[in-house]
Amino acid sequence: MSIAHDVHSAPAPAHGGGHGDHHGPGPLDGKWSAPVGHALPTSTGLDNRKLLMWLFLASDCMFFGSLIGTFMVYKGRSTVGPSPHEIFDIPYTSVSAFVLLMSSLTMVLALAAIQRNDQPRLRIWLITTALLGSVFIGGQYYEFTTFYSENLTLQHSLFGSSLFTLTGFHGAHVTIGIFWLLYMTAMSWTGRLNSEQPLFIEIAGLYWHFVDIVWIVIFTVVYLLP
Amino acid sequence: MAVTLPRPQAPAAPAQAAPEYGTLPAYHGFVSWLTTVDHKRIGILYGSTAFAFFLLGGLEALMIRIQLATPGSTFVSPDAFNQLFTMHGTTMIFLFVMPMSVAFFNYIVPLQIGAPDVAFPRLNAFSYWTFLFGGIFMNLSYFFDGMPDGGWFGYAPLTTIQFSPSHRIDFWMLSLQILGVASLAGAFNFLVTIINMRAPGMSLMRMPVFTWNTLITSFLLVFAFPAITVALILLMFDRLYGTNFYYAPNGGDPLLWQHLFWIFGHPEVYILILPAMGMVSEILPVFSKKPLFGYPFVVYATVAIGFIGFGVWSHHMFTTGLGPIANSFFAASTMLIAVPTGVKIFNWMGTMYGGAIRFTTPMLFAIGFVSMFTIGGLTGVMHAIVPVDMQHQDSYFVVAHFHYVLFGGAFFGIMGGIYFWWSKFTGRMLDEKLGKWVFWLVFAGFNLTFGPMHFLGVDGMPRRVYTYGANQGWSGWFGMDWLGWNMVVTIGAFIIMVGMLIFIYSAFKALRGPKDAPTDPWDGATLEWSLPSPPPVYNFAVAPVVRSRDAFWAWKRRPQAVEAGENVATLQVGGHTVGHAEFEEEHPSEEYLAQERNAYYADPATFHIPNPSFFPIIAAFGLTCLAAGMIFGYALSIAGFLYLIVAIGGWAMEPTS
Amino acid sequence: MPFPRASGPGRKLILLSLGVALTALLSGCANVPHTTVLPKTEAAQKIQDLYVLIFWLAVAVFILTQGGLLWVLWRFRARPGHELPEQTHGNTTLEIRWTIAPAVILVIMAVPTIRTIFELESAPPAQASGLPPLVVEVVGKQWWWEFRYPEIRKPNGEPLVTANEMVIPTGRTVYLHIISDNVIHSFWVQQLMGKIDAMPNHENKIWFTAEDPGQYFGQCAEYCGIQHAQMRMNVIAMAPADYEAWAQRSAQPAEPVTDIAKAGAEAFVTNGCAGCHTVDGNPTAIGVIGPNLSHFGSRTTLAAGILQNTPENLAAWIQDPQAIKPGNFMTNQHVKPTDVDALVAYLHSLK
């Protein structure tokens, strides 16, 4: 604070060394700034960027909630067109849902790998996750071209509008995730590591699991519920 | 007999100079403003831009009032009028009150919690530039098909392509999406900052109320904005890609728009008022010389308002035919929200009760807030009575209500905040005598403008009308067509204008003067007053250790009183409980405090100040082009997308120190 | 003095006197055709009763809070030589009291509110006359109102269709079924009832019983586009016998009698009016885009309630509708002056 103050030759260490058993970083260790590569201590102990991802996911929850709500409001209110039970191929979509679910498993394995600093394994699992995600997207692409050929389009009916908008935005989220995973794979491959890599993988994992959970909800509400 | 309290002294110059920004061109002059990531500069940018939009919105209001002063006026055409009221509402809400609140969040919150900056400085800059470009983009519509004319609430089906075929609504819709990104980015930033970057000892219940309100407002933004994002996406798909979300002949339901919009829209009004309430909660204690009465209850009440605020949205839809059960539920929830609001008002009054009230300009605005917001709150409760709302809805009675809470509330609070913290931002004081003129003119003009609107509403005058007949009873006193409440309202609006012109003059006059404001002109209670005016780029050379609420008062008055019963055992640093053996509780000695200051002092030369960066402004520009391309052609969208990707890539790779 | 029982005469008397006081306060000096505080039906009176209650409660709270605030500001203003005042932090008992007290007041308000909501939003109560409610279908248009009477059948079996002026009998409940076929509008005749929105795809219903004959003025209350401001309507209440006479006369087509009126009937077709407007008895005039003009001559206003239905006003309207109501969907047909006179005669003959 604004007080007259003599600067000594070096800032005094944090309140005596006697309490050497205090856990983790002490009161700033006499420095307001953190050494390069270390984050400042936070009030909760949670990293700022991880907290940011959680908050972003909270808003994304509301986002998908509104889209899912729209779909549910319009269920059964289309004036034309193929109805859900006529056009859905539940077994097919179940398989692609399973694929996405497995990709969450591989994401967890990727995180486990980086936590033991196993870069090769990390890359394998990241690529697998991206691959599984791509299979999911490919499956959706095929499914939607089938729908289009059977006259269910974005414009055709409320069912088409709400279905494609909802699943389209979900697919966009998955696609962004795939690119993100590939980017992290590339960083690992080219040796551009930094000590915060486990944190970044974890954050990406949060995003990826969220996208998967949203799909579980969409699959249930859109495909499974009558 | 006056007791002199120990006044903080000006900080001694540290032995080594604080780091300058460096010698790259990005760091100096005009360009340094484009690349700044310093929360204080971003606050100034937000505040100046928001104020400019306020003047624009005010001009739109004056034109509306000239047109409506007399029946059958042809001052503006019906088309122009409909654009004016749409833009007035949209501008004041999205381009003035919200960004002006963010200006204060930016400047003040890190100082109040003892932080060096916000959690994500570049994201902060990105929020600002996105806001600026979004606001400019919306107003660019003037040069094309005309400005948006669907009302600020844009009800479908009027805003669908079938009934609004020109690009006006496209500009509106896309700008709001851009502005939404800015608001969300800002909300994330402030949430992480407040949750994670508080000074040692500052538990949540020791935070200043302004910071609390920032926290709650940011939560409201995070949960409310996605609803309007989806509403606008559905509208965009209807308008651009031929879907039928709101097109009734193909099954679409216009009520869907209203539900989604108001699920956003009601929390939005709390987003508009909570920051001003926070400012008032800072100002009243300082100028009553006693702490905020009932701090925990004020906090809990604000949290309650945040929660309940998500459960009242359909009170904007009482006349749409939701049915008696829904109407009863929302009537009840709307009445319920009046309870915590009342609690806050009583606590503000309790703060002044027993105090020693100094009637400075910020205090006048804060008192004005309490008084005018109460009136607006009372008329709000009237609207909650559904059958009564069947007469009030869409009439000037509602216009009166929300202007009492938004102008008499939010705007007065903001003016109080401007007067209160001006010296901290600029190093100069605003002239108090002129300030009193500003307050009384604005206060009188405001009441003359919006008071009679209650009568017009009861007299059955609907809103959003560009004219009215001489025989409809809303004019015609003493047989003179032109004289009536509408004329009084217009005169009041011009009185507000005069008051604000004096304010602008007073601001310029202050800025031309020397930077001679005292650090702590008001005997402030919170940490920002411990810093020079304006603060150095790194904010705090010594991380303040906080032992109580009103941390700066406590520090100044430590010989007399330290908060009794504060539980120092809950002191957290770095997520680990340090334990109360670490810090002497209750009555630390001067010697102890000096040791602590040493422990928390850092040489400013070692400070890690985030580098300025071009990527936020480039990303913001890219995003705007991406949106604009939906009107001007996909080539622009693709270009915008590429800018955005490049900016994000650069942002990710850029070293932060 | 204990507050009188819910249904007792004492309570009615208190409400009445408060209502009169409020009305006197708010009525203003000028004639206010759209006033919301001079209800002319029982339905509107129920709204008024609630308003009177909340109004005076609000006034009481206003006086208490504003008065309290002013007193605090005077009593605790800083005076020279004042020490630091006592640094009170709060008072939990007070907090509880001033949380509970407003909640109690609100609960008191909530009870009659919810009761009135259900009363007004249910089907209309049975009437002493034994007659079923008169259903009138209301369709909001840009920027006028269409009224259909299923109960009144024309010779060809179709219901009577009219526009902008709704004629109703006194003493019989009128049940409005309100919808839109374009954007959202809102039907608001202040002295008869509160407003309800005219939504596409979603019919809304309100009911009321006019007690006194007379003309009641209303206006659209939901922004619906460029001419929202000039979308008014009238409701004309007549004694039942007069209403019957009107209904019988309206069901039959009106025939032009004079030569100039007959010339106007032809001009109606040659100038394109028939493409948008229907006039019963004129076989080519079957357009449904604009208001039905079958008995236009007996309407008191034109262009959706904004002008008196005089020959001068009608002539001005026909010659340049865009000058009076810019942006409305009646384009300027560049009618020759002789045709204008004929048309005026024709339309005013349709009584």
Side-chain angles (χ1 to χ4, degrees):
Chain A
M1 305 203 195
S2 44
I3 33 154
H5 178 70
D6 291 328
V7 179
H8 301 291
S9 53
H15 201 55
H19 50 281
D21 57 277
H22 70 73
H23 336 277
L28 304 173
D29 292 310
K31 278 195 160 15
W32 186 249
S33 57
V36 172
H38 285 86
L40 286 168
T42 59
S43 312
T44 57
L46 211 55
D47 184 273
N48 283 351
R49 289 154 291 191
K50 189 147 70 159
L51 185 54
L52 176 66
M53 176 51 76
W54 277 107
L55 291 168
F56 169 73
L57 294 179
S59 77
D60 230 10
C61 258
M62 275 302 288
F63 177 78
F64 279 109
S66 303
L67 284 172
I68 292 171
T70 300
F71 181 87
M72 290 173 69
V73 159
Y74 280 151
K75 224 177 196 177
R77 283 167 63 164
S78 294
T79 52
V80 290
S83 69
H85 81 264
E86 283 167 17
I87 200 160
F88 282 154
D89 182 352
I90 302 292
Y92 175 85
T93 322
S94 303
V95 169
S96 80
F98 178 73
V99 164
L100 196 64
L101 207 57
M102 287 300 105
S103 73
S104 266
L105 173 62
T106 53
M107 189 70 219
V108 172
L109 291 171
L111 182 61
I114 188 60
Q115 281 169 344
R116 356 174 253 277
N117 214 3
D118 185 348
Q119 294 291 335
R121 275 279 136 79
L122 168 73
R123 289 192 290 271
I124 289 175
W125 291 124
L126 281 180
I127 292 199
T128 312
T129 308
L131 205 65
L132 290 173
S134 308
V135 167
F136 172 81
I137 294 290
Q140 286 223 292
Y141 177 76
Y142 174 74
E143 188 183 11
F144 293 167
T145 46
T146 317
F147 290 168
Y148 262 68
S149 71
E150 292 178 35
N151 215 15
L152 180 70
T153 66
L154 180 66
Q155 292 82 357
H156 183 67
S157 64
L158 285 177
F159 170 52
S161 300
S162 49
L163 175 73
F164 288 118
T165 307
L166 173 59
T167 52
F169 271 101
H170 176 263
H173 277 72
V174 174
T175 308
I176 291 172
I178 293 172
F179 280 110
W180 190 358
L181 292 168
L182 293 175
Y183 167 78
M184 288 193 302
T185 311
M187 289 293 111
S188 164
W189 194 289
T190 57
R192 308 262 290 270
L193 308 172
N194 76 54
S195 60
E196 301 199 283
Q197 195 188 14
L199 175 70
F200 294 153
I201 303 288
E202 190 182 353
I203 291 175
L206 280 175
Y207 176 80
W208 191 262
H209 296 312
F210 172 78
V211 161
D212 192 9
I213 292 173
V214 170
W215 183 252
I216 307 289
V217 178
I218 293 177
F219 182 54
T220 310
V221 167
V222 170
Y223 288 84
L224 295 183
L225 285 182
Chain B
M1 181 171 51
V3 166
T4 45
L5 299 169
R7 280 304 178 107
Q9 291 151 20
Q16 288 174 287
E20 293 299 322
Y21 271 125
T23 53
L24 292 180
Y27 298 4
H28 291 292
F30 175 72
V31 176
S32 74
W33 283 94
L34 301 180
T35 57
T36 185
V37 296
D38 175 2
H39 71 99
K40 297 182 287 298
R41 279 191 152 198
I42 293 173
I44 304 266
L45 286 171
Y46 259 112
S48 331
T49 310
F51 194 78
F53 279 120
F54 166 74
L55 295 177
L56 187 57
L59 186 64
E60 286 154 356
L62 288 174
M63 292 177 73
I64 291 172
R65 283 319 315 173
I66 295 174
Q67 167 68 15
L68 290 178
T70 54
S73 171
T74 51
F75 177 69
V76 293
S77 69
D79 187 29
F81 184 90
N82 295 340
Q83 294 173 58
L84 280 171
F85 79 71
T86 302
M87 287 309 294
H88 169 71
T90 308
T91 301
M92 287 306 200
I93 290 173
F94 293 104
L95 304 181
F96 167 56
V97 176
M98 287 174 80
M100 183 59 90
S101 303
V102 173
F104 283 93
F105 294 170
N106 251 303
Y107 209 115
I108 298 296
V109 168
L111 303 182
Q112 284 195 334
I113 63 174
D117 203 311
V118 295
F120 303 104
R122 287 172 299 177
L123 189 65
N124 201 14
F126 170 76
S127 293
Y128 168 73
W129 293 113
T130 308
F131 149 63
L132 177 69
F133 294 150
I136 291 177
F137 179 62
M138 170 125 47
N139 283 283
L140 274 181
S141 57
Y142 181 78
F143 300 105
F144 295 95
D145 279 349
M147 308 197 87
D149 60 352
W152 86 272
F153 49 94
Y155 276 4
L158 183 60
T159 47
T160 59
I161 197 88
Q162 291 85 358
F163 296 102
S164 291
S166 76
H167 282 305
R168 294 172 176 188
I169 301 297
D170 295 322
F171 273 95
W172 179 79
M173 172 179 89
L174 294 166
S175 308
L176 283 183
Q177 296 285 47
I178 299 171
L179 293 169
V181 170
S183 290
L184 271 176
F188 294 145
N189 222 336
F190 293 116
L191 280 168
V192 176
T193 305
I194 294 172
I195 292 174
N196 250 3
M197 290 176 68
R198 286 167 279 136
M202 186 175 278
S203 64
L204 288 177
M205 292 306 269
R206 288 180 186 168
M207 291 196 312
V209 172
F210 181 71
T211 301
W212 258 113
N213 283 28
T214 306
L215 181 73
I216 296 168
T217 304
S218 301
F219 269 116
L220 290 177
L221 281 163
V222 165
F223 288 105
F225 250 99
I228 193 177
T229 306
V230 168
L232 289 168
I233 285 175
L234 301 183
L235 183 64
M236 187 172 96
F237 277 35
D238 271 12
R239 289 182 64 86
L240 298 180
Y241 305 132
T243 53
N244 296 295
F245 290 109
Y246 304 123
Y247 187 56
N250 285 357
D253 191 347
L255 269 183
L256 178 65
W257 169 270
Q258 293 195 36
H259 279 296
L260 286 173
F261 182 82
W262 288 115
I263 287 174
F264 153 75
H266 195 82
E268 166 69 4
V269 314
Y270 293 112
I271 290 166
L272 294 173
I273 196 68
L274 250 40
M277 285 183 163
M279 296 183 208
V280 165
S281 302
E282 300 293 347
I283 295 171
L284 290 176
V286 168
F287 296 103
S288 308
K289 284 201 168 304
K290 54 192 279 285
L292 181 69
F293 193 86
Y295 172 102
F297 287 92
V298 172
V299 168
Y300 301 148
T302 312
V303 171
I305 289 172
F307 268 110
I308 304 175
F310 273 99
V312 301
W313 80 87
S314 281
H315 69 221
H316 300 272
M317 298 163 63
F318 279 150
T319 58
T320 59
L322 296 170
I325 297 177
N327 281 344
S328 300
F329 173 80
F330 283 103
S333 63
T334 307
M335 285 193 253
L336 179 64
I337 208 168
V339 175
T341 313
V343 166
K344 294 180 71 157
I345 293 174
F346 298 136
N347 276 298
W348 287 322
M349 292 176 61
T351 306
M352 291 184 275
Y353 180 95
I357 303 173
R358 295 178 283 159
F359 292 100
T360 57
T361 307
M363 184 59 164
L364 287 172
F365 275 111
I367 295 169
F369 175 103
V370 173
S371 175
M372 300 295 105
F373 182 79
T374 304
I375 296 175
L378 288 172
T379 53
V381 172
M382 287 188 193
H383 300 325
I385 316 291
V386 175
V388 175
D389 194 52
M390 288 177 83
Q391 295 282 24
H392 288 174
Q393 164 74 344
D394 268 303
S395 76
Y396 264 83
F397 202 98
V398 176
V399 179
H401 157 70
F402 68 71
H403 280 96
Y404 264 81
V405 289
L406 283 180
F407 192 120
F411 181 70
F412 274 24
I414 287 171
M415 286 301 288
I418 291 177
Y419 268 91
F420 187 53
W421 279 299
W422 179 270
S423 63
K424 191 55 59 189
F425 301 154
T426 64
R428 294 102 164 166
M429 298 291 286
L430 280 169
D431 185 308
E432 261 299 301
K433 255 222 293 276
L434 285 178
K436 303 249 170 32
W437 273 98
V438 170
F439 172 75
W440 287 110
L441 278 169
V442 169
F443 182 81
F446 159 76
N447 278 292
L448 213 56
T449 308
F450 299 107
M453 286 189 185
H454 294 101
F455 306 140
L456 285 170
V458 168
D459 284 348
M461 182 170 176
R463 52 188 295 208
R464 301 165 183 151
V465 291
Y466 74 89
T467 191
Y468 52 94
N471 58 352
Q472 291 193 278
W474 304 320
S475 63
W477 289 349
F478 313 116
M480 291 188 287
D481 262 2
W482 55 271
L483 188 60
W485 285 126
N486 272 299
M487 178 57 78
V488 173
V489 168
T490 301
I491 292 172
F494 276 92
I495 295 177
I496 297 175
M497 182 192 82
V498 172
M500 290 313 293
L501 286 175
I502 296 180
F503 169 74
I504 294 171
Y505 165 73
S506 143
F508 275 114
K509 178 165 167 248
L511 287 173
R512 277 207 311 265
K515 280 193 189 181
D516 61 356
T519 314
D520 181 19
W522 315 117
D523 187 20
T526 41
L527 291 176
E528 72 273 22
W529 298 106
S530 70
L531 295 177
S533 297
V537 65
Y538 50 83
N539 295 349
F540 293 92
V542 180
V545 175
V546 170
R547 287 191 167 71
S548 67
R549 288 174 209 148
D550 300 324
F552 193 42
W553 267 354
W555 190 86
K556 285 186 281 187
R557 297 170 189 171
R558 65 199 177 282
Q560 285 81 17
V562 170
E563 208 69 59
E566 291 296 319
N567 187 358
V568 185
T570 62
L571 183 63
Q572 298 262 329
V573 177
H576 305 279
T577 306
V578 179
H580 86 221
E582 292 289 315
F583 297 95
E584 207 173 295
E585 51 186 301
E586 299 216 18
H587 299 283
S589 63
E590 285 299 332
E591 181 197 301
Y592 177 79
L593 285 176
Q595 275 188 305
E596 192 179 82
R597 283 193 294 273
N598 273 332
Y600 282 87
Y601 172 77
D603 186 349
T606 66
F607 284 164
H608 152 73
I609 295 171
N611 288 339
S613 170
F614 273 109
F615 294 117
I617 191 173
I618 298 175
F621 182 70
L623 181 68
T624 309
C625 290
L626 178 61
M630 307 277 178
I631 295 176
F632 294 112
Y634 289 121
L636 184 58
S637 286
I638 293 175
F641 183 70
L642 289 172
Y643 286 141
L644 189 58
I645 295 295
V646 164
I648 292 177
W651 189 328
M653 315 264 213
E654 189 179 46
T656 52
S657 58
Chain C
M1 177 190 94
F3 200 66
R5 269 189 344 254
S7 54
R11 179 173 174 131
K12 284 203 162 67
L13 187 62
I14 289 178
L15 279 177
L16 179 65
S17 27
L18 291 177
V20 166
L22 178 56
T23 303
L25 199 62
L26 294 177
S27 294
C29 317
N31 175 34
V32 186
H34 294 276
T35 181
T36 60
V37 289
L38 286 174
K40 294 289 195 217
T41 65
E42 212 181 292
Q45 183 64 52
K46 286 189 207 284
I47 294 177
Q48 173 76 339
D49 288 344
L50 275 178
Y51 178 57
V52 165
L53 193 57
I54 188 68
F55 176 81
W56 289 111
L57 268 174
V59 165
V61 173
F62 174 86
I63 291 174
L64 273 168
T65 48
Q66 305 289 348
L69 179 64
L70 287 172
W71 177 79
V72 164
L73 294 176
W74 172 82
R75 167 73 178 81
F76 296 106
R77 65 197 188 283
R79 271 156 274 184
H82 238 218
E83 301 174 15
L84 199 63
E86 194 187 327
Q87 303 285 290
T88 24
H89 286 88
N91 180 325
T92 307
T93 318
L94 200 52
E95 300 282 353
I96 294 175
R97 291 203 182 131
W98 66 37
T99 306
I100 300 212
V104 165
I105 295 176
L106 289 169
V107 166
I108 292 176
M109 269 317 302
V111 169
T113 299
I114 294 181
R115 194 174 58 229
T116 311
I117 291 174
F118 276 88
E119 272 173 14
L120 293 179
E121 296 191 33
S122 310
Q127 308 172 81
S129 62
L131 286 170
L134 171 65
V135 171
V136 180
E137 291 165 4
V138 176
V139 184
K141 305 271 191 185
Q142 285 180 307
W143 290 273
W144 53 279
W145 295 95
E146 180 171 280
F147 304 127
R148 307 171 154 262
Y149 290 75
E151 214 180 72
I152 303 174
R153 296 280 154 166
K154 298 189 288 192
N156 62 5
E158 285 170 10
L160 172 66
V161 176
T162 180
N164 295 324
E165 286 193 0
M166 187 196 298
V167 176
I168 60 171
T170 56
R172 181 179 172 197
T173 301
V174 173
Y175 199 12
L176 299 182
H177 295 190
I178 302 172
I179 202 165
S180 163
D181 62 7
N182 48 88
V183 299
I184 302 177
H185 303 271
S186 193
F187 187 85
W188 192 24
V189 181
Q190 292 88 343
Q191 291 190 292
L192 294 181
M193 180 50 174
K195 68 180 69 69
I196 196 86
D197 288 355
M199 319 255 332
N201 262 11
H202 177 66
E203 193 178 72
N204 281 329
K205 300 183 173 130
I206 52 172
W207 51 263
F208 53 84
T209 312
E211 312 291 346
D212 308 317
Q215 194 168 33
Y216 302 98
F217 301 94
Q219 189 160 345
C220 174
E222 182 60 63
Y223 178 60
C224 50
I226 191 165
Q227 281 298 334
H228 163 66
Q230 300 207 93
M231 183 173 161
R232 301 180 213 161
M233 61 285 199
N234 309 333
V235 175
I236 299 176
M238 302 176 168
D242 297 330
Y243 168 77
E244 276 313 310
W246 169 85
Q248 294 204 0
R249 197 177 66 241
S250 303
Q252 305 300 322
E255 298 293 343
V257 171
T258 63
D259 286 338
I260 186 170
K262 288 185 185 155
E266 280 177 29
F268 196 79
V269 178
T270 56
N271 281 288
C273 317
C276 291
H277 295 282
T278 297
V279 178
D280 295 337
N282 191 330
T284 4
I286 53 172
V288 289
I289 299 174
N292 186 308
L293 300 177
S294 302
H295 294 278
F296 178 81
S298 48
R299 291 190 201 153
T300 60
T301 57
L302 68 95
I306 61 176
L307 291 173
Q308 293 300 304
N309 192 4
T310 63
E312 299 75 29
N313 285 341
L314 181 56
W317 174 257
I318 292 171
Q319 285 179 299
D320 195 355
Q322 291 297 317
I324 296 170
K325 206 164 164 176
N328 93 85
F329 293 143
M330 177 159 157
T331 50
N332 195 333
Q333 298 293 94
H334 302 290
V335 181
K336 293 197 314 287
T338 44
D339 275 356
V340 171
D341 295 331
L343 283 168
V344 171
Y346 170 57
L347 290 168
H348 277 169
S349 76
L350 299 172
K351 294 221 189 282

